[in-house]
Amino acid sequence: MDLNDRTSLAELMSRYVSTETGFGVPKNGWRICLAHEFKEKRKPFQAKDVSLSNMIEHISLGVRYLRWWYKKTQVEKKAPFIDMFRALPLKQIYGAPLGGIGGGSITRGWRGDFCRWQLNPGMYHYKTVIANQFTVCLRRGGQTVYQQVLSTERPPTLQGWNWGYCGEYAFYHALYPRAWTVYHLPGQNVTLTCRQVSPVIPHDYKDSSLPVAVFVWDIENKNEYALDVSIMFTMVNGSGHEDDKIGGHWNEPFHLEKEGESVSGVLLHHQTPVNPYTLCIAAREKSDQEISHQTAFSPKGTCSALWSDLMTDGRLDSPKDSSTPTKKGEKVAAALAVSCSVPANQHNSVEFSLAWDMPKITFGSRERIYVRRYTRYYGTKGDAAPSLSHYALTHYSNWEESIDEWQRPILQDGSLPAWYKSALFNELYFVVDGGTVWVELPEDADISGGLRPEDGGLPAQPEVVKEYGRFAYLEGQEYRMYNTYDVHFYASFALIMLWPKLALSLQYDIAGSVVQHDPTERLNLMDGRYSPVKTRGVVPHDIGDPDDEPWVRVNAYLIHDTADWKDLNLKFVLQVFRDYHLTHDEQYLKDMWPICQTVMETELKFDKDGDGLIENSGYADQTYDGWKVTGPSAYCGGLWLASVCMMCKMARVLNCESVYQRYRDILERGSAAFDKLLWNGKYYNYDSSGQSLSNSVMSDQCAGQWFLRASGLGDDDYQAFPKEKICSALKSVFDLNVMSFAGGQMGAVNGMRPEGVPDRSSVQSDEVWVGVVYGLAATMIHEGMVDEGLRTAEGCYRAVWERMGMAFQTPEAYCEKGIYRSLAYMRPLTIWAMQLALSNRPHHHKTTDKDVGRD
C-alpha cells in the first residue's frame, strides 16, 4: 500500500480505538470508523451559484423552467425528473446497497442504518427507519451480561432499548458487492463481524437478478469461558414512507424446508394499492442454534416489551399466528433472533437474509404492468419471499466463491494502487442502486419501432432481448431519466464488460427507437421553440421518466431539440462496434448495421462545407449543456471522425466495399479538416470559432480516440488522429486541467484556459465530472500514460470518497470549493473503461502484492 493510501486510511480510521481487525475482512476496499465525521460539508448547486453573466444569458430559460416546474408539481402533482428547487442535501451516511440487479434496492449506511429505499422503480425515498436494527445479547451462566443495539444513534423513540453504541470501537469496510462491519464490544472481549453479501455476479443473469441479501455474523469469543450469544434483527413493515400508515399491512411467521435445508422467519406484507410487496427477514436453521421471532410489535413508544423478551433468555416468544392488519395510522414491525453458543477462545456464526418480493411493477402513469426479471424463476404471485430467502441462505457461499474468482486477479495485481481497487468495485454500486429495472419482454412486445429487417430495421423481438429481458437505469438518482444515452456512453463500459447481454439488450431498445417518429409538438426549455418529441433517424436522449411510462413515451428530456443532438447518433455508432469488438456477437453487428447507416446519414447533413467534418452550432455538444460551441469542435468533431473510422471497419467486417470506400473518403477529408481547424500545436481547441474562449483546453477533447482504442482501433488503416498529437493533447490536459487545478488533487476540470485558470464561461465548464475524468484516465492509459492516468483518476476518488463523504453517491460534478451537482450519478461507472485500458497494456505481467512487498 503506498503512502497516499496509508495516509487517507489513517484519517478515516483515526478515531478507531480498538486493535481488532475483524473476521475475514479483506485488505482492499473503503474503510471508515463509525465515529468518523467529515470535515468538509458541501452544498448542492443552486441558482445563487450561477454567475451574473450566465444568469442574464439564461433568464428566459429560467422563466420557462419555472412555469414547467409549477405545472408538473402543482397541477399534475408529479415529481419533475430534474428538480432544480429541491436538490438532495448531502448526507454523509451511505454504504453498499442491498440486493441484485433490477429488483429494487435498499441501502444500508456505513453506520448500520437502513436509510435509502428504491422499491418502486426509479423513485427514491431517503428515510432512515430507526427500528431497523441488529441487536446483540450476551449471556453467561444463564444470565444476560450485555445487550446493545449495534447503532451509534440515540433516537427519541424506542427508549426502552439500549442505544448509543460507541462508534470508536467499530469500523465499516466496503468492497462491493460485499461489506463488513466490525464491532468490538467494549469490556466484553467479544468481536462481531457482520458481512453483507448481495448477488451481484458478472455474467450471471439468474442470481444477479434476485432481490435479496445475506448478513453473516461472525462471533469471536476471546474470553476463557463460553458465552451464549443472540443476534436480533428487527424490521418495520415498510420503508418509512407515508404509506406505512395507510393500514392493512400484516406479518406472519413462516418455515420452509427444502432439499434438506430449513429456514424460518417472518413475512411482512405491505399492502399498498400500487406495487404491493412483501419484505422477509429469515435465518438458516442449524443443529446448534435456535431461531425465535416476534411476529409483530409497534415501532413507537418505548418498546420495552421486546427488549425485555430478548434479555430474559436470549430468545423471543415466537407466536405462531399471523398479526392482525394494521389500522390507519398504525405501523407494525417484526423481529427475528438467532441464538448460539460460542466456546472459550472460539468462533461461531449466524446467518440472516433480507428479501423483498415486488414481482409486478407499474411506473407513474400506471398504463402497463411489467414483471421483474427474477419472476422467471420465482413466479409473479407475490409469494416468492420464503423461497428467495431459502435460496439466498443456502447459496450465498457460491456467490462469494464467484465474487472472489472475479475480484482476485485485480486485487492481487501489485501494479495497481489500493485506492483504484476500492474505486473500481465500489463505484459498481450504481448498477443496482441506479433506479435500475430489469423486466421480462412481454410476448406481444415489438421493440423494432415498426421497421422490419427487410426494410432496414430490427426483428420485433431480437433473441438477446427475448432471452435476457429489458434493462434500464437512471441518469442519476436526482436526474431521473432512464438510459440517458449521452451519459450511458461513458457508463456502458461496466455493463459491456460484466453483463454484456444487458448492454446489448439496451442497444436494441435504443436502435428500435431510432426509426420512430412522434410529431407531437412540445416546448424545448433551452431555446423556447416547439419541435417534435421524436425525430426519425435520431437517437433519443433517454427512454423516459419513471414517474411517467418508460419505453412507451421515449425522450422525456425537455432541454434540447432532438435534431441538435448530433453526438447521440455518433455515440450509438461508437458503442455498436465497441460492443462487437468485446463480445464478437456477429448477429448483433448485422442487426445494428442498417441502424448505424441510418444515423450516419442523418449526421451527414451537418457537413456544411463538404470537408467531411460535421458542423456544430448552438449547444450541439450535448454532453456539456450550456457550454456554447460554434463550428466544428474537438469533442463532437472527434466523435464524428471516430464514428466514420468505425463505419469503415464495420463495412470491411461485413464485406460492404462500397460503403467502406465512401466512409474512407469522408475520413480522409474530415481528418484533414479537423487538424486544420482545431489543432493549435499543443492540443485541439475547444471549437473553431476563433472567439476569445475557443482555445480553451477541454479535458474530454480526445473522447473519439478513447473509443477507438477501446475497440482495438486507432492505428494504421483505422487511425483518425495522429498519435503524437493525441499524446501532446493529453499532456496539455494533464499539465493544465489536472495539475494546475486544485493542486492536482481533485481530478481534471472540464475547461481550462491556456494561461492556467479554469474556464468559467458556463456553469459546467469549471466543474469536475467524475465519470469524464475516469474516461480521460482510460484514454491516457491506452496511450501509454499510465502514471498520469492513475494520478488523474486518483484525485476524484480521494475527493469524493475520502474528503467529501460521498461514498455510494458519487455525484456527476463538483467544483473546486463549496458545491456539488447531482448526487448518485451514472457516469462514474466509466471507471471500468480504465480497467479495460489497464488489462490491454502491452507486455503487462501481473504481479501480486507479495511480489512487490506491499502490506
Side-chain angles (χ1 to χ4, degrees):
M1 185 180 292
D2 63 31
L3 182 61
N4 282 342
D5 286 319
R6 287 194 182 116
T7 302
S8 61
L9 179 62
E11 185 174 344
L12 292 176
M13 292 291 288
S14 62
R15 294 184 62 182
Y16 185 59
V17 300
S18 174
T19 59
E20 294 298 316
T21 58
F23 188 87
V25 180
K27 176 184 66 176
N28 296 114
W30 180 70
R31 184 174 295 187
I32 185 169
C33 174
L34 266 60
H36 183 77
E37 292 289 340
F38 288 97
K39 297 176 183 177
E40 187 167 348
K41 307 291 183 182
R42 291 200 164 214
K43 295 183 178 180
F45 176 84
Q46 301 175 68
K48 66 180 179 61
D49 299 308
V50 181
S51 68
L52 181 60
S53 60
N54 273 298
M55 193 173 293
I56 293 172
E57 185 175 350
H58 295 98
I59 191 167
S60 55
L61 166 63
V63 171
R64 286 190 293 271
Y65 177 83
L66 181 60
R67 288 173 178 167
W68 174 83
W69 181 90
Y70 181 85
K71 179 182 178 184
K72 179 67 68 174
T73 60
Q74 305 303 311
V75 179
E76 299 177 11
K77 304 297 182 183
K78 290 197 169 191
F81 51 81
I82 296 181
D83 195 334
M84 300 298 293
F85 299 108
R86 299 171 184 169
L88 287 180
L90 177 60
K91 296 181 179 180
Q92 297 165 318
I93 63 174
Y94 297 114
L98 302 163
I101 301 172
S105 58
I106 300 172
T107 297
R108 187 168 180 249
W110 53 269
R111 289 194 177 101
D113 301 319
F114 291 79
C115 51
R116 184 166 68 194
W117 308 77
Q118 188 258 145
L119 298 178
N120 285 316
M123 304 302 289
Y124 279 82
H125 180 56
Y126 303 89
K127 176 71 174 180
T128 295
V129 181
I130 199 65
N132 292 355
Q133 298 290 345
F134 286 101
T135 297
V136 62
C137 174
L138 304 183
R139 293 173 59 78
R140 181 185 179 193
Q143 299 292 321
T144 295
V145 296
Y146 180 87
Q147 187 161 302
Q148 174 72 52
V149 182
L150 295 171
S151 170
T152 60
E153 297 292 331
R154 296 180 181 272
T157 59
L158 305 175
Q159 290 294 298
W161 297 10
N162 185 24
W163 294 92
Y165 172 84
C166 182
E168 294 179 351
Y169 288 89
F171 70 86
Y172 177 85
H173 185 97
L175 188 65
Y176 191 74
R178 293 183 288 183
W180 294 255
T181 311
V182 177
Y183 302 89
H184 178 62
L185 306 184
Q188 306 304 314
N189 220 13
V190 171
T191 299
L192 308 175
T193 302
C194 176
R195 184 167 83 256
Q196 171 185 313
V197 185
S198 291
V200 181
I201 305 164
H203 307 286
D204 183 326
Y205 297 92
K206 177 180 179 288
D207 288 8
S208 291
S209 72
L210 304 182
V212 67
V214 172
F215 302 96
V216 182
W217 285 85
D218 287 294
I219 307 161
E220 297 175 273
N221 177 16
K222 299 185 179 182
N223 294 291
E224 298 300 325
Y225 48 81
L227 286 171
D228 292 321
V229 181
S230 300
I231 304 290
M232 179 175 71
F233 186 12
T234 52
M235 178 67 61
V236 172
N237 187 330
S239 63
H241 194 267
E242 58 188 18
D243 63 21
D244 292 358
K245 296 182 179 181
I246 64 173
H249 310 313
W250 58 287
N251 302 342
E252 64 170 327
F254 80 95
H255 173 83
L256 178 62
E257 182 175 354
K258 191 186 332 182
E259 300 172 352
E261 296 275 5
S262 296
V263 300
S264 295
V266 183
L267 302 172
L268 295 78
H269 302 290
H270 200 72
Q271 301 298 101
T272 50
V274 179
N275 299 340
Y277 61 91
T278 297
L279 289 168
C280 175
I281 53 176
R284 186 178 186 179
E285 295 190 355
K286 297 180 180 179
S287 58
D288 62 342
Q289 299 181 2
E290 181 181 6
I291 301 174
S292 57
H293 71 269
Q294 181 54 260
T295 308
F297 69 91
S298 175
K300 66 179 183 179
T302 63
C303 204
S304 298
L306 180 71
W307 190 260
S308 299
D309 188 8
L310 182 67
M311 182 173 282
T312 300
D313 56 5
R315 63 182 303 279
L316 302 173
D317 281 347
S318 301
K320 296 181 180 180
D321 296 330
S322 302
S323 68
T324 58
T326 57
K327 297 178 181 178
K328 188 174 182 179
E330 289 182 341
K331 293 184 180 181
V332 66
L336 187 70
V338 181
S339 308
C340 69
S341 179
V342 189
N345 295 304
Q346 295 293 315
H347 155 268
N348 205 345
S349 64
V350 300
E351 304 160 333
F352 293 90
S353 67
L354 172 64
W356 50 98
D357 183 23
M358 183 190 285
K360 298 180 180 179
I361 56 173
T362 61
F363 294 99
S365 69
R366 304 182 191 177
E367 291 179 19
R368 301 188 179 193
I369 296 175
Y370 299 84
V371 297
R372 296 195 192 262
R373 168 70 177 187
Y374 75 89
T375 62
R376 174 173 292 204
Y377 316 104
Y378 288 91
T380 61
K381 295 180 180 179
D383 58 359
S387 294
L388 283 166
S389 300
H390 187 282
Y391 185 84
L393 288 166
T394 56
H395 286 78
Y396 79 87
S397 59
N398 296 336
W399 300 345
E400 292 199 277
E401 287 177 8
S402 297
I403 292 168
D404 283 333
E405 184 179 357
W406 159 44
Q407 294 185 339
R408 187 181 303 114
I410 296 171
L411 298 178
Q412 292 185 349
D413 187 343
S415 69
L416 301 176
W419 70 262
Y420 170 77
K421 297 169 184 177
S422 173
L424 182 69
F425 293 111
N426 284 324
E427 291 289 11
L428 203 59
Y429 84 96
F430 195 84
V431 171
V432 164
D433 206 17
T436 313
V437 289
W438 184 3
V439 298
E440 294 284 35
L441 186 69
E443 292 184 3
D444 61 348
D446 181 351
I447 68 107
S448 71
L451 194 66
R452 292 289 185 264
E454 56 270 20
D455 299 314
L458 298 172
Q461 296 196 352
E463 285 302 315
V464 70
V465 186
K466 238 166 103 174
E467 178 59 28
Y468 295 96
R470 287 180 124 167
F471 175 86
Y473 59 158
L474 295 177
E475 179 177 338
Q477 291 181 12
E478 289 192 81
Y479 291 4
R480 292 190 315 275
M481 294 160 282
Y482 273 122
N483 295 350
T484 300
Y485 201 70
D486 63 298
V487 184
H488 170 70
F489 171 74
Y490 294 82
S492 62
F493 282 87
L495 284 184
I496 197 61
M497 293 171 68
L498 302 175
W499 293 276
K501 301 299 184 184
L502 297 184
L504 300 187
S505 174
L506 189 157
Q507 282 286 90
Y508 273 104
D509 261 328
I510 294 295
S513 70
V514 167
V515 301
Q516 294 177 353
H517 180 65
D518 183 350
T520 306
E521 293 282 312
R522 65 94 202 266
L523 178 67
N524 298 301
L525 297 185
M526 180 61 78
D527 56 21
R529 294 179 301 176
Y530 283 85
S531 64
V533 167
K534 176 65 179 66
T535 304
R536 185 174 287 111
V538 169
V539 171
H541 173 273
D542 59 84
I543 64 160
D545 170 7
D547 204 25
D548 188 15
E549 196 68 27
W551 288 304
V552 176
R553 283 183 292 280
V554 302
N555 201 31
Y557 200 54
L558 298 181
I559 302 298
H560 298 282
D561 178 357
T562 53
D564 284 337
W565 288 330
K566 305 178 183 71
D567 66 327
L568 297 179
N569 283 4
L570 306 177
K571 289 173 177 176
F572 178 81
V573 173
L574 293 171
Q575 287 188 71
V576 165
F577 186 76
R578 189 274 317 267
D579 296 349
Y580 168 73
H581 172 70
L582 295 177
T583 65
H584 306 289
D585 189 324
E586 294 183 2
Q587 187 59 52
Y588 167 76
L589 185 62
K590 291 177 182 176
D591 287 344
M592 293 296 161
W593 178 236
I595 309 298
C596 287
Q597 293 183 81
T598 296
V599 299
M600 290 298 280
E601 287 299 322
T602 301
E603 294 294 304
L604 280 168
K605 69 183 180 182
F606 296 107
D607 181 11
K608 305 291 186 182
D609 299 324
D611 57 6
L613 191 61
I614 63 168
E615 179 80 11
N616 300 276
S617 61
Y619 296 86
D621 275 330
Q622 197 280 322
T623 292
Y624 298 91
D625 299 333
W627 197 358
K628 281 190 175 181
V629 59
T630 303
S633 69
Y635 184 73
C636 251
L639 295 180
W640 165 251
L641 291 181
S643 300
V644 172
C645 192
M646 287 191 180
M647 289 295 288
C648 292
K649 180 64 175 179
M650 285 189 279
R652 274 283 164 87
V653 171
L654 296 170
N655 297 314
C656 300
E657 189 61 25
S658 61
V659 177
Y660 169 82
Q661 292 296 339
R662 182 180 185 220
Y663 281 98
R664 183 83 237 169
D665 175 65
I666 294 172
L667 179 61
E668 290 173 359
R669 289 186 289 112
S671 294
F674 185 80
D675 194 74
K676 178 181 178 182
L677 289 168
L678 295 164
W679 181 251
N680 66 17
K682 291 185 177 180
Y683 58 89
Y684 295 104
N685 287 335
Y686 174 64
D687 68 20
S688 56
S689 67
Q691 296 176 1
S692 59
L693 298 177
S694 67
N695 65 338
S696 286
V697 187
M698 185 182 191
S699 66
D700 210 10
Q701 63 183 271
C702 297
Q705 176 72 359
W706 164 37
F707 254 74
L708 288 176
R709 290 298 193 198
S711 306
L713 304 176
D715 290 315
D716 302 324
D717 289 344
Y718 301 102
Q719 178 176 320
F721 316 94
K723 179 176 175 60
E724 65 275 10
K725 292 183 178 178
I726 289 292
C727 290
S728 175
L730 291 173
K731 185 179 186 304
S732 295
V733 170
F734 183 72
D735 291 343
L736 290 167
N737 300 58
V738 180
M739 300 306 295
S740 298
F741 175 75
Q745 301 298 311
M746 296 187 76
V749 67
N750 277 340
M752 182 66 87
R753 298 294 302 139
E755 57 269 24
V757 296
D759 181 330
R760 304 190 189 280
S761 61
S762 82
V763 295
Q764 298 181 345
S765 56
D766 66 344
E767 291 181 330
V768 174
W769 289 9
V770 180
V772 166
V773 172
Y774 289 152
L776 168 63
T779 313
M780 291 176 173
I781 293 167
H782 278 300
E783 300 302 329
M785 300 169 62
V786 178
D787 291 342
E788 293 89 340
L790 290 172
R791 175 67 184 270
T792 297
E794 180 181 2
C796 284
Y797 176 80
R798 302 288 189 199
V800 169
W801 289 78
E802 296 176 352
R803 298 198 297 273
M804 299 182 193
M806 295 179 176
F808 298 101
Q809 54 180 329
T810 306
E812 158 70 322
Y814 55 80
C815 291
E816 183 175 0
K817 297 179 181 178
I819 63 173
Y820 64 85
R821 186 169 56 78
S822 188
L823 288 173
Y825 200 75
M826 177 200 291
R827 204 186 320 253
L829 285 172
T830 315
I831 195 169
W832 280 88
M834 289 181 63
Q835 183 57 28
L836 179 65
L838 288 164
S839 64
N840 287 342
R841 283 175 289 171
H843 313 300
H844 171 54
H845 300 288
K846 293 178 182 175
T847 57
T848 66
D849 286 347
K850 184 176 180 181
D851 293 333
V852 295
R854 297 192 176 188
D855 54 28

